[in-house]
Amino acid sequence: MAEKVSVLIAEEEVNARIRELAAIISKDYEGKQLHLVCVLKGGAYFMIELAKYITVPVVIDFMSVSSYGSGTTSAGRVKILKDLDEPVQGKDVLIVEDIVDSGRTLSCLKTMFESREPASLSICTLLDKPSRREVEVDVEYVGFEIPDAFVVGCGLDFDQRYRNFPYVGVVEFE
Ligand code: 5GP
């Protein structure tokens, strides 16, 4: 199936919003060390950009879970493919995601993280599709709310392509 990508959020807008979020997060975590936990692969691009502009001490860690396959609909399950390197008990943890869609992935992750007893647990996502929510999940930091469309770029892929695009684009299937 052929596809076309059109710009939804321009590179400059994405970069400016990431700096804004970093400033808000730096203020909220003043005096603390922040543990940024990223869900691979999509979240990695956003987390690295965000971390650059956070002014409190930051530690990063990565987790890999399976949610989507190569299609465009949620599997509704989360399986840990790679766990964190360090325990999060007693730490101030911020889960960094690329996008919240149905909310299933984050809801599962949140429950799993809570059982590991961090000092605090919050979520930051670059993109949010509130109209697609099936499971209620509190997201403390949202870059952009977007309409119901399949997007790529800024870490998001279609069949592993387009992650490196510096803007958020909408995929249209022809
Ligand atoms: P949820 O469990 O909230 O339905 O889905 C979360 C995951 O689905 C995201 O981490 C992302 O991998 C994938 N996803 C949801 N919407 C999109 C989208 O528009 N584009 C891409 N590339 N992935 C998406």
Side-chain angles (χ1 to χ4, degrees):
M1 191 166 27
E3 73 266 359
K4 200 174 82 187
V5 180
S6 56
V7 179
L8 179 67
I9 307 170
E11 180 178 359
E12 298 71 26
E13 233 184 306
V14 172
N15 293 341
R17 184 64 183 140
I18 290 175
R19 283 171 168 78
E20 273 176 17
L21 284 175
I24 295 166
I25 291 166
S26 301
K27 202 156 169 258
D28 290 354
Y29 287 86
E30 218 173 297
K32 296 178 177 167
Q33 174 166 280
L34 183 56
H35 286 255
L36 295 180
V37 170
C38 154
V39 182
L40 292 168
K41 298 174 186 170
Y45 294 75
F46 173 43
M47 184 176 83
I48 299 300
E49 276 308 299
L50 187 69
K52 281 185 196 169
Y53 304 104
I54 292 177
T55 53
V56 298
V58 162
V59 169
I60 62 169
D61 205 345
F62 298 91
M63 174 178 269
S64 180
V65 302
S66 64
S67 49
Y68 272 53
S70 53
T72 60
T73 54
S74 179
R77 287 189 310 271
V78 170
K79 185 174 154 217
I80 298 178
L81 303 176
K82 182 223 169 285
D83 208 340
L84 300 174
D85 291 336
E86 301 290 332
V88 293
Q89 192 176 27
K91 295 172 181 169
D92 290 296
V93 176
L94 182 62
I95 301 175
V96 181
E97 259 283 22
D98 46 7
I99 191 164
V100 186
D101 186 29
S102 70
R104 287 179 191 281
T105 309
L106 267 182
S107 171
C108 292
L109 278 175
K110 214 174 171 187
T111 307
M112 193 197 66
F113 270 84
E114 273 160 359
S115 72
R116 297 182 182 195
E117 302 177 330
S120 69
L121 181 64
S122 297
I123 295 172
C124 177
T125 185
L126 178 62
L127 304 173
D128 185 12
K129 285 195 230 174
S131 65
R132 296 258 309 164
R133 200 71 90 253
E134 290 170 25
V135 178
E136 233 5 90
V137 55
D138 288 334
V139 181
E140 286 77 8
Y141 306 99
V142 176
F144 301 92
E145 285 193 358
I146 60 166
D148 179 12
F150 191 80
V151 291
V152 294
C154 297
L156 290 151
D157 75 304
F158 175 64
D159 269 350
Q160 298 304 324
R161 286 176 290 135
Y162 309 121
R163 288 191 197 277
N164 57 316
F165 279 23
Y167 57 85
V168 178
V170 178
V171 181
E172 284 148 19
F173 302 96
E174 290 168 339

